[in-house]
Amino acid sequence: MNPPSPVPPPLLGRIGQAKGWALRLMFGGGGVLALLALLVPAPSPPNLAAGQALFALTAATGLGVAALSIRRPGALRSERFDTLFMVLGNLCALTSALGEALHFGTTYSEHVALWPMVFAAGFLGRRLLWVQAVLTPPLLALTVYARSLIVGTGERWWIEALVLAVPVVVTGLIIGFFRAAAEDEAEELTQQVGTDPLTGLANRRALHAEFGRLAARVPPGHRVAVIMLDLDHFKQVNDRYGHRVGDEVLRCFAAVLRDHAQPHDLLVRVGGEEFVWVTAEAALDPVMARVEAARAAHAAHPDARAVTVSAGLVCHEASEPLSAGHLDDLLGRADAALYAAKAAGRNCLHLYGGPRPVLEPA
């Protein structure tokens, strides 16, 4: 895995939580206002029955979504329902504005059109923000035109629609710009926190989170193998050639691991000259063959300074469900296998529980 997929930034998690509250406030607040409007007497309504019907629709939709967000907060904070929220938000803005015009003969609710635009900018996907920005002007124009027919505000309704649409759309786009900048920065910082700066592989901090993701997408019938690898006598390289050359050797080995890893493998530098390689295969032999090929390729590389590699391998049985909680146990057994490889003379691969190195030294 190069580079490692980022751990979800805490900022994005807080945005997900805020999205739930925004749903409740936008839809719940709109629903309560529509419900209160039904209880307020109208002296001379243009069309009382139609206005009440639209207010009732707004109240039912808003309160229904708010109740659902309380009942299933986790699901509604996901992106699965975002398009539906955008459609319902626009529907409520339209019905509340037209309901007010028909019920009271006034036009204050037109400004509610800002709510869906700001909600899209703050919480929905970036693609949906642009969809909302395109939808807002014609929806506002329709609202203002319909209200002009109901209330009789004159033929220059399009000027008012334009004056309403421009601030609403610009406000939403500005909010979306700042949100995108904050998310990009949070993702970049998280990427840096979870990446080893010398090799570009994942670091120990990202190991557990990335292992959980890998475990969740292991194909049926496959087994997860954890390989602990260590550069033999690496300290002698630093002592003889200096740390700059030692860094080149580490970067060389990281590149070799990338060349022999599969796209969804997890490659981690856990510290110093020690690395962890996590992969999934239907059988054990292909895993051992790839590890041996990587060891041989590194030993033969001119930048490796003839440094060899010892490796310890442990394989999780496919019959037992795998989770992130198994990692510490697998790492402990892989480390024991690595110790056995070093005790056997280094420059070999040792399978956990095996009486001797699995293959002859490269």
Side-chain angles (χ1 to χ4, degrees), residues 11-333:
L11 174 63
L12 301 189
R14 291 196 294 270
I15 287 177
Q17 294 174 354
K19 181 180 177 182
W21 284 104
L23 274 172
R24 300 181 187 103
L25 291 173
M26 184 176 76
F27 284 99
V32 170
L33 289 175
L35 194 61
L36 291 175
L38 286 172
L39 305 177
V40 176
S44 54
N47 191 326
L48 181 61
Q52 288 180 333
L54 289 173
F55 274 142
L57 177 60
T58 303
T61 303
L63 295 176
V65 173
L68 194 58
S69 72
I70 295 173
R71 185 176 181 85
R72 298 180 58 190
L76 296 185
R77 285 201 301 264
S78 70
E79 297 181 358
R80 180 180 177 185
F81 301 96
D82 282 358
T83 302
L84 177 62
F85 291 148
M86 186 180 69
V87 171
L88 292 178
N90 285 288
L91 174 65
C92 288
L94 180 63
T95 55
S96 63
L98 295 181
E100 182 195 356
L102 290 167
H103 191 275
F104 296 107
T106 56
T107 61
Y108 304 112
S109 294
E110 288 173 356
H111 299 283
V112 174
L114 180 64
W115 289 8
M117 188 69 209
V118 171
F119 182 73
F123 302 102
L124 303 189
R126 298 181 190 181
R127 178 182 62 85
L128 291 181
L129 168 60
W130 292 107
V131 173
Q132 179 62 53
V134 172
L135 282 176
T136 295
L139 284 173
L140 274 172
L142 174 63
T143 303
V144 175
Y145 176 67
R147 189 260 299 163
S148 71
L149 296 179
I150 297 168
V151 182
T153 55
E155 297 180 356
R156 301 176 70 84
W157 57 269
W158 58 272
I159 297 178
E160 183 179 351
L162 184 63
V163 171
L164 278 172
V166 170
V168 168
V169 172
V170 170
T171 299
L173 292 179
I174 290 174
I175 293 173
F177 170 78
F178 282 107
R179 174 198 169 189
E183 288 181 353
D184 289 344
E185 184 174 354
E187 184 171 328
E188 181 180 352
L189 290 173
T190 303
Q191 183 80 18
Q192 293 174 1
V193 168
T195 303
D196 173 54
L198 178 63
T199 63
L201 303 181
N203 61 17
R204 184 185 293 272
R205 183 187 296 270
L207 176 57
H208 282 78
E210 294 299 333
F211 181 84
R213 290 189 180 86
L214 185 146
R217 58 175 179 252
V218 173
H222 282 55
R223 297 190 295 177
V224 170
V226 176
I227 307 104
M228 189 82 74
L229 307 108
D230 188 85
L231 302 184
D232 298 326
H233 304 297
F234 178 74
K235 185 177 182 300
Q236 295 179 6
V237 175
N238 286 330
D239 293 342
R240 181 176 181 181
Y241 301 105
H243 289 281
R244 183 182 62 81
V245 174
D247 290 347
E248 291 177 358
V249 174
L250 292 172
R251 283 192 289 264
C252 173
F253 184 55
V256 168
L257 287 179
R258 290 191 191 94
D259 290 340
H260 291 81
Q262 294 180 334
H264 296 296
D265 287 358
L266 174 58
L267 301 174
V268 183
R269 182 189 177 201
V270 292
E273 65 272 23
E274 196 167 70
F275 296 78
V276 169
W277 181 358
V278 185
T279 186
E281 285 280 3
L284 183 59
D285 288 345
V287 177
M288 293 191 297
R290 281 197 288 138
V291 175
E292 285 297 281
R295 290 197 322 102
H298 178 74
H301 199 286
D303 292 337
R305 304 284 177 168
V307 171
T308 59
V309 179
S310 297
L313 186 152
V314 62
C315 195
H316 180 270
E317 294 300 326
S319 59
E320 182 183 355
L322 182 66
S323 68
H326 290 90
L327 178 59
D328 289 337
D329 177 62
L330 291 171
L331 287 175
R333 287 187 281 168

